[in-house]
Amino acid sequence: MTTTSTPASVSVLPLIGRLLISSIFLVSAFGKLMAPAGTIGYIASVGLPLPILVFAAALATELVGGALLALGYRTRLVAVILALFSVASALIFHNALADQNQLFHFLKNLAMAGGLLQVVAFGGGAFSLDQRHSKVAGTLSSAR
């Protein structure tokens, strides 16, 4: 007998993955909130214009994107945005690849983008607001 149901141990893996990936964005946002002057100074030091605006955009991306990814809401879209943000951050802030620490952060950002692309490909999983929404929408459309 073949079953199409997914074991709970596998169904929870996308949730765990989303929580682990989102944690770096949420912790980074918290760090920015705790030391805005240092972050704005770092942004200015790499030559980006309007460092306060860049700071606000980065903070919003990390905070809102991290929270939405954790909840699994608009998961694929949020994962694309965070993947692009990760690659842009790597290229702008961690491009001194002769420095081993910068190389590590560059590769970390690329790895995060890779994990986020997996989320784009496979979605938020069973324990996501996206999945809950699709079940509710499916129930409503089949009731018509």
Side-chain angles (χ1 to χ4, degrees):
M1 181 169 119
T2 320
T3 178
T4 59
S5 66
T6 305
S9 61
V10 174
S11 296
V12 76
L13 291 178
L15 169 64
I16 294 169
R18 288 194 335 269
L19 293 174
L20 290 173
I21 294 172
S22 67
S23 68
I24 196 161
F25 294 102
L26 295 171
V27 168
S28 183
F30 181 74
K32 284 175 177 56
L33 282 172
M34 295 298 102
T39 305
I40 292 167
Y42 183 55
I43 292 168
S45 76
V46 298
L48 288 177
L50 305 169
I52 294 173
L53 185 61
V54 173
F55 168 81
L59 178 62
T61 300
E62 290 175 339
L63 192 59
V64 175
L68 292 177
L69 184 65
L71 295 170
Y73 181 74
R74 303 274 182 155
T75 311
R76 287 186 161 114
L77 174 62
V78 169
V80 165
I81 292 167
L82 290 174
L84 292 172
F85 177 81
S86 297
V87 171
S89 296
L91 294 171
I92 294 168
F93 296 104
H94 306 300
N95 56 20
L97 302 181
D99 177 342
Q100 187 174 5
N101 185 47
Q102 289 299 313
L103 175 62
F104 170 78
H105 286 290
F106 182 86
L107 294 173
K108 172 214 27 129
N109 280 38
L110 294 184
M112 289 169 22
L116 288 159
L117 291 177
Q118 289 289 310
V119 175
V120 172
F122 297 106
F127 298 101
S128 67
L129 291 177
D130 289 344
Q131 185 68 25
R132 179 182 168 112
H133 177 71
S134 69
K135 283 183 182 177
V136 170
T139 303
L140 292 175
S141 65
S142 66
R144 291 180 190 180

